[in-house]
Amino acid sequence: MFIDCFKRCGRGKFAGGFTLVELLVVVAVIAMLLAILLPTLRLARAVSKKTICQSNLKQLACAWSMYLEHYDGYFYQETNANMDYGGWRGTENPGWVPRPLNRWVGLAETLDDEKSAEVFCCPADKGGVFQSMPRERSFRLLGTSYRTNIFLIGPGQHAQFSPRTKDLDLAISSRLRNLRISQMTAGSAHLVLMGDQGWMFQWMPMSPLRKQQWEQDYKPYAEWHIKPEHYNLAFMDGHTAFVKIRKAYYVTDDYSVVPFKELYGLAYQVQGEEP
């Protein structure tokens, strides 16, 4: 009797498998779960990349500290030093350029292998190298994802960008040649050492035409981490932070790109959006 009942009431009812309505309900539930989970997974992945990037910057800040100690506190000042300070050769560099920071992270100064230079690669690097191929990764083009503060580590004398900032530019340039860490008067916890490559273009004054080109074609690819206008930075004291770089602001409560506190007055006069 039990077997007969099972055949009539149980097995017979489900012998045909799931109905179309049941399948559609299952698919809808799965789709709903994916819609809920995918943004969370994307955010978790982005946070993980940001954390790895900060770890890279902390190691590089430590390497700079060892470099400065070895060279009696003198900053590295050569042509394109803010890009060629370390990393691998990169596809945009036609020749072998010595990269002095490599020594302090256990690499050869002339490195042709990008896989060996991972500490210089931000995992979220998606390009935005100004006046180059906007979607090509900075690490691929330049050999590093990170640019130093050119008011510290960069060309021997800082170029003048616009008449509006001429006095500040000249005042900084006159102090840059043979700059030593003992000559800095800005607080080391406030002074930016280096960061994601796009951070530099955010504060740098530009002509209206260059600014429009940057905003439209490059900036979307130069912001690598979650929030617009926020960049991973390493500071002179070695700590890292995720900071909003305000357009054309040299000095804020969160950071300074000017290493000389006595020039803050000039910086306050010219900083802000270009007219």
Side-chain angles (χ1 to χ4, degrees), residues 188-202:
S188 61
H190 192 226
L191 181 60
V192 178
L193 170 63
M194 63 192 306
D196 298 332
Q197 76 91 23
W199 83 276
M200 187 180 70
F201 298 106
Q202 186 65 3

Side-chain angles (χ1 to χ4, degrees), residues 80-197:
N80 295 326
N82 64 315
M83 296 178 289
D84 294 342
Y85 63 91
W88 75 290
R89 175 175 155 181
T91 59
E92 282 203 344
N93 289 317
W96 290 85
V97 180
R99 300 192 177 223
L101 197 68
N102 285 11
R103 174 183 174 185
W104 307 103
V105 291
L107 299 174
E109 287 194 4
T110 52
L111 187 63
D112 199 30
D113 178 18
E114 61 181 294
K115 292 182 180 178
S116 301
E118 288 186 354
V119 70
F120 293 92
C121 178
C122 172
D125 183 344
K126 60 182 181 181
V129 179
F130 193 42
Q131 295 186 317
S132 186
M133 295 173 282
R135 299 191 186 190
E136 188 70 50
R137 292 191 309 158
S138 175
F139 179 68
R140 179 70 177 163
L141 290 173
L142 306 176
T144 177
S145 297
Y146 309 112
R147 293 209 188 196
T148 61
N149 182 353
I150 63 171
F151 291 160
L152 289 172
I153 301 160
Q157 286 194 311
H158 172 55
Q160 291 140 39
F161 292 103
S162 73
R164 187 166 177 257
T165 61
K166 180 179 178 181
D167 290 343
L168 177 63
D169 292 332
L170 288 174
I172 292 175
S173 294
S174 67
R175 290 164 169 81
L176 281 186
R177 191 168 297 280
N178 298 321
L179 177 66
R180 297 180 71 179
I181 194 169
S182 59
Q183 295 171 294
M184 293 186 336
T185 52
S188 61
H190 192 226
L191 181 60
V192 178
L193 170 63
M194 63 192 306
D196 298 332
Q197 76 91 23

